[in-house]
Each structure stands twice: as C-alpha cells, then as structure tokens.
Amino acid sequence: MRQTDRQTDRDMEVMQMLHMNKGVGETSYAQNSKVQHKIISTAKPIIHDAVQEILRSNNIESMGIADLGCSSGPNTLLLISEIIDVIIRAKSCSLGLHLSATTELRVFLNDLFSNDFNTIFMSLPAFYNKLKQEKGPELGSLFISATPGSFYGRLFPARSLHFVHASSSLHWLSQVPPGLDSKAAGEALNKGKIYISKTSPQCVLDAYALQFHNDFSLFLKSRAEEMVDGGRMVLSLMGRPSYDPTTPASCYQWELLAHALMTLVSEGLIAEEKVDSFNAPYYAPCEEELSLALKKEGSFLMDSLEAFEIDWDGDGYQELHHTFDMVGSGQKVAKTVRAVVESMLESHFGKDIMDHLFQCYAELVSNHLSKSRTKYINLVLVIIKKN
C-alpha cells in the first residue's frame, strides 16, 4: 500500500471514529459538556469585540458566520444567540457600526459527518421560537444550515464568511501522527502511553508537533480562501503554558487515562499491545507554535492571544460541606472525558470495558486532584484576514 493510501485511510478512520457521545443520556456529550460551556463563556467578551469590529469596518447586508466543530447539545447554538445580541445592541445604540436595517445572518454549523446533527435539527424549532419571543422584530432574518466535513480543507464558497468561530475543536488532529505505529527493536515507540508523556521519546513529541503544524496551516489556508478581507476568527483550543509539551496542564489527563488502561491490562481485560498501538489524535500547542504557523501561512494578522485556566470539572471544583469533594469532581471529570473520547476508545478496545475503564479513571482523577488541582490551559486567539 502506498504512503498516500495509508494516510488517506488514517484520515478517514479519525473522521469516522471521532465524535462526541450522541443523544441526551447519562454519558452523552449533551449532559457532560460544562467544561466546553465554561470555555465559550470565558471567550464571550472576546467574541463580542470581534463581531463589533467586523460591523464597524464593513457595510454588511448578509453576514456569513461559521461555527467549526459545533458538536451537539446545549452549547451548539450559544454562538448564534451571542452574535444576535451584539447586533441588536448595535442597532439600538449609536456605536458607529455599519448595519443594514435588514441585516441577515447566514450561520453554518460544521462538524465531522459522524456528528449528531439530528439532535441539533430537532432543537431548532424551539430555538427559533425562543429567539422570536425574546428579540421580537429586531431579530431579522436568520438562516441556519449544516455543513458536515473536516475543517482541515475547504468547506465554503470563496469570500462567503465574515466571522469564523471554533471552540474546543482545533486541538483535535486530522489523523494520528504518522510513524507512531512503527516499532523499533520490537518495542512500541510510546509504550504504555496514549499521548505525549514525560517518558515519550523525542521522536513522538516531534511527530505530534509536526502534525499539528501541518493541520493548522491547512486550516488557515482553507479559511483564507473562504473569508472576506477584514473578516475575523475567534479560535479557542486547549494549549499549554510553556514550550514543553509534557507539562501536566497539557497532557496529564491523558497520562491518567493511560494509567487506567494499563490497570485493565493488569486485570487481564485487554492486551498491552492494544494500549501500545493506540495514540490520541490530539495536540495542545503553545503560543509560539500558533504564532509561527500564522506567520508562515501569511494570510492573517494576529489581533490578540490570551490564555485562561479552566478547572478539569468545569465547576471550579466541587465542594461538599465546605470541603473539596474529590470523589464528586473525579466522577464529573471522568464523565466529561468519556463523552468526548469514548467513540475513539470503543472502536479500538471494544465496548464491553468502557464502564469499568471510566470507573477506574474517575478514581485516579480523584486521587490526583486530592494532591494537585491541575487545570486546563485554554488559548483564545483572534486573527484578522488581511486585505
């Protein structure tokens, strides 16, 4: 098989297996996405400022908006509500913005083909009715549609978008970095691990960094063709606080998940080779990597880049009777992570072990949080399409 064929197979495999847990059940993403909601809420003032700047510098009658990696559940339609609020306030106040009295919004919801778009579609009638009741005639025309596919490539017509938003999605790679499934002297390259770790050899770190750079560069190139000059993107993604990719803030949740899997190996429930052959298609970049990719691609200007700390459980860590509830937080973290990664793990390890795996993971997380309340680092990047 040719290298290009193997790469295409990897791309298709990630596109098919990477999706948030569907529906509205106990382990669904819809019920376990507080962390992602916190990330969107944190970026809310930044989104408002970006939309206002677009309206200030462009006379827009029909505004093209894309939400990339929209997933499904209560967070999916938040962006639309926020942008409508900005526009209505701008119409009611003299802010020097260029607004048509009949400004219409064209909103494109994007995610991979395996996303639970049906749940989104079923929620739209109630969403439209709520908007009409709350906003009244100020609402204007709103057109919502879905555009399935990978954002690591073209999705939309040329010069059709004014604003692009991506939250909790760009840290997912288009594929597992090539070469990680190779073996040297009969040993797996990243033995006993499923992502970058303190024990990972340099070649593993380099492979992940290169894959992210290639993916992010392709993302920028694709959006550069689809956006109007002066259009803006607000991108929120998991990152890390330093150049070192093995910092706990960027990889320790994966370290604990690998530990849980190895516990199941010791219990004879899965083969160690299955763990050695699984690598997460994920990467948490540092600010320098984002800046370098932007500079090399050349179509966008950096407007701002901010870093925020987010608790693993999305709740400021739970307290019970005024003391830290490490068991409750561990369970909440495990449910949040399960809602995101279960589809990938199930396709590789099988469905039968999932309940036991995440029970074990919850215990490991609780124990870790009792010693160190590690936080995610969320990077929020605002970039402007060059004229």
Side-chain angles (χ1 to χ4, degrees), residues 15-77:
M15 290 178 67
Q16 291 169 359
M17 72 178 182
L18 179 57
H19 60 80
M20 308 301 101
N21 277 358
K22 300 178 181 182
V24 292
E26 183 181 353
T27 62
S28 68
Y29 179 79
Q31 297 294 327
N32 298 283
S33 52
K34 278 194 173 182
V35 169
Q36 292 81 0
H37 183 275
K38 179 69 174 179
I39 289 170
I40 294 173
S41 298
T42 300
K44 180 177 175 179
I46 300 172
I47 294 170
H48 283 205
D49 289 346
V51 173
Q52 284 192 359
E53 287 301 320
I54 293 170
L55 298 174
R56 185 171 285 113
S57 56
N58 297 273
N59 189 8
I60 301 173
E61 293 187 356
S62 181
M63 186 175 183
I65 301 163
D67 191 11
L68 307 181
C70 66
S71 191
S72 62
N75 299 328
T76 299
L77 302 175

Side-chain angles (χ1 to χ4, degrees), residues 44 48 51-52 55 77-93 95 97 99 105 127 130-131 134-135 138-139:
K44 180 177 175 179
H48 283 205
V51 173
Q52 284 192 359
L55 298 174
L77 302 175
L78 278 179
L79 175 71
I80 304 173
S81 298
E82 296 295 343
I83 293 176
I84 289 173
D85 286 343
V86 173
I87 292 175
I88 289 177
R89 280 202 302 270
K91 285 181 177 180
S92 62
C93 303
L95 299 176
L97 308 184
L99 281 169
L105 301 182
F127 178 71
K130 183 179 179 182
L131 284 178
E134 293 179 352
K135 314 303 180 186
E138 293 293 322
L139 176 61

Side-chain angles (χ1 to χ4, degrees), residues 255-271:
E255 185 82 6
L256 293 176
L257 189 54
H259 189 172
L261 285 165
M262 292 304 292
T263 299
L264 269 61
V265 170
S266 69
E267 295 173 352
L269 297 176
I270 54 176

Side-chain angles (χ1 to χ4, degrees), residues 64-165:
I65 301 163
D67 191 11
L68 307 181
C70 66
S71 191
S72 62
N75 299 328
T76 299
L77 302 175
L78 278 179
L79 175 71
I80 304 173
S81 298
E82 296 295 343
I83 293 176
I84 289 173
D85 286 343
V86 173
I87 292 175
I88 289 177
R89 280 202 302 270
K91 285 181 177 180
S92 62
C93 303
S94 180
L95 299 176
L97 308 184
H98 300 290
L99 281 169
S100 166
T102 58
T103 296
E104 65 180 25
L105 301 182
R106 295 172 286 110
V107 181
F108 305 99
L109 301 176
N110 158 261
D111 213 312
L112 296 175
F113 293 98
S114 53
N115 185 53
D116 189 5
F117 284 107
N118 281 340
T119 296
I120 300 174
F121 297 150
M122 292 296 290
S123 70
L124 284 179
F127 178 71
Y128 281 128
N129 288 334
K130 183 179 179 182
L131 284 178
K132 289 176 182 177
Q133 292 173 3
E134 293 179 352
K135 314 303 180 186
E138 293 293 322
L139 176 61
S141 298
L142 171 63
F143 304 96
I144 302 174
S145 60
T147 306
S150 171
F151 49 56
Y152 295 123
R154 287 289 303 274
L155 289 165
F156 309 103
R159 299 175 61 82
S160 62
L161 300 177
H162 298 84
F163 180 70
V164 172
H165 175 258

Side-chain angles (χ1 to χ4, degrees), residues 23 99 132 141 158 171 192 250 252-253 258 266 271 301-303 332 345 375:
L99 281 169
K132 289 176 182 177
S141 298
H171 43 250
S250 64
Y252 204 69
Q253 71 275 26
S266 69
L301 295 171
M302 173 87 75
D303 184 57
K332 181 171 289 189
L345 295 172
K375 299 176 183 288

Side-chain angles (χ1 to χ4, degrees), residues 279-316:
N279 294 282
Y282 172 96
Y283 188 71
C286 62
E287 295 182 11
E288 291 83 0
E289 289 173 298
L290 294 171
S291 298
L292 176 62
L294 273 170
K295 185 176 181 181
K296 289 184 69 174
E297 196 282 328
S299 300
F300 295 89
L301 295 171
M302 173 87 75
D303 184 57
S304 65
L305 178 56
E306 300 183 55
F308 300 91
E309 291 186 337
I310 305 291
D311 295 319
W312 277 12
D313 68 356
D315 250 356

Side-chain angles (χ1 to χ4, degrees), residues 154-182:
R154 287 289 303 274
L155 289 165
F156 309 103
R159 299 175 61 82
S160 62
L161 300 177
H162 298 84
F163 180 70
V164 172
H165 175 258
S167 183
S168 302
S169 54
L170 275 167
H171 43 250
W172 294 110
L173 303 174
S174 67
Q175 62 173 38
V176 173
L180 296 187
D181 54 356
S182 300

